[in-house]
Amino acid sequence: MLGQFNTRRTRRTRRTRRGDRALTCPLLRRAVAAAVLLIGSSMMVWGSVAMAAEPESESPPALAFVETQLGVSREGYFTLEWSAVEGAALYRVRDRADQIAYQGVATKSFQSGLSDGVYRFYVEAIGDDGEILATSAEAVATVEHWRLAPSLALFAIGAIVVGGIGFVILRGRWIEKQIATGGDDRTSMLQTEVESGGES
């Protein structure tokens, strides 16, 4: 029994030694290294192919207003202007209530006839197929019309200036007529005096 166990142990020891000798062989080590290198290269190539096959996420084109803070308008109008987007067939401007304030191919919109309040607009770039290519951030404008008292004061000042100009024009024409009439009388009087003096 003990002899059989020693025989098996001896056989295992020989096999282990043979394996160790095989690993220490330079030729075998080179073959293993080449195999590892080949497997690693194949995995890298397949990873690159998989990454190339994935579609790249395209960033949306930039669309922005030239001015996002338009300040205060006393007259009730202002102009919106934005950057052009490649591939856009038209632009659509919407207000805070999602109502269309402008739709067209120009990159500028004139908004007028607005009452007092704060107005917020954003613009959309629309493609040929009707798809929204890009959306801008908001542009804010405030409308505060002139109050009644300052408006009446300005109107009165304007009326006075216009009246003064009209008076000066009419006065100048009247003076011209007086000078022309007076000059004719003096000429006739001089001619009469000369004629009477010659006769004497």
Side-chain angles (χ1 to χ4, degrees), residues 2-198:
L2 183 61
Q4 292 178 355
F5 176 76
N6 289 333
T7 303
R8 290 177 182 174
R9 186 173 181 183
T10 303
R11 289 176 182 174
R12 289 178 184 173
T13 304
R14 288 176 182 174
R15 289 175 184 172
T16 305
R17 288 177 181 174
R18 287 176 184 173
D20 291 342
R21 288 175 185 173
L23 288 176
T24 56
C25 178
L27 185 60
L28 184 61
R29 279 188 298 179
R30 289 178 185 171
V32 171
V36 170
L37 183 63
L38 182 62
I39 293 171
S41 304
S42 301
M43 292 180 66
M44 289 178 63
V45 169
W46 280 108
S48 302
V49 170
M51 290 178 63
E54 294 180 358
E56 296 182 359
S57 59
E58 296 182 359
S59 58
L63 177 63
F65 284 104
V66 175
E67 291 183 59
T68 56
Q69 299 294 329
L70 300 173
V72 179
S73 171
R74 296 290 186 181
E75 296 78 17
Y77 62 83
F78 50 86
T79 301
L80 297 170
E81 188 174 358
W82 55 89
S83 58
V85 173
E86 185 177 356
L90 59 90
Y91 300 95
R92 183 181 298 141
V93 176
R94 294 183 181 270
D95 60 11
R96 180 171 49 185
D98 208 30
Q99 299 293 323
I100 297 176
Y102 167 78
Q103 183 168 301
V105 296
T107 57
K108 186 180 293 187
S109 171
F110 183 73
Q111 304 293 323
S112 62
L114 302 172
S115 57
D116 289 355
V118 178
Y119 294 86
R120 301 177 184 274
F121 295 91
Y122 66 93
V123 61
E124 299 171 335
I126 312 297
D128 292 327
D129 55 356
E131 180 185 1
I132 298 176
L133 302 177
T135 304
S136 73
E138 286 186 337
V140 183
T142 303
V143 176
E144 290 182 5
H145 288 92
W146 296 103
R147 300 301 174 213
L148 183 59
S151 300
L152 291 176
L154 291 173
F155 178 77
I157 292 172
I160 292 170
V161 170
V162 172
I165 293 172
F167 174 77
V168 169
I169 292 172
L170 294 175
R171 177 72 175 167
R173 288 184 179 177
W174 183 80
I175 292 174
E176 286 179 359
K177 288 181 180 179
Q178 292 297 321
I179 291 174
T181 304
D184 293 342
D185 293 341
R186 289 175 185 174
T187 303
S188 59
M189 289 175 62
L190 287 171
Q191 289 177 354
T192 305
E193 290 180 0
V194 169
E195 290 176 358
S196 62

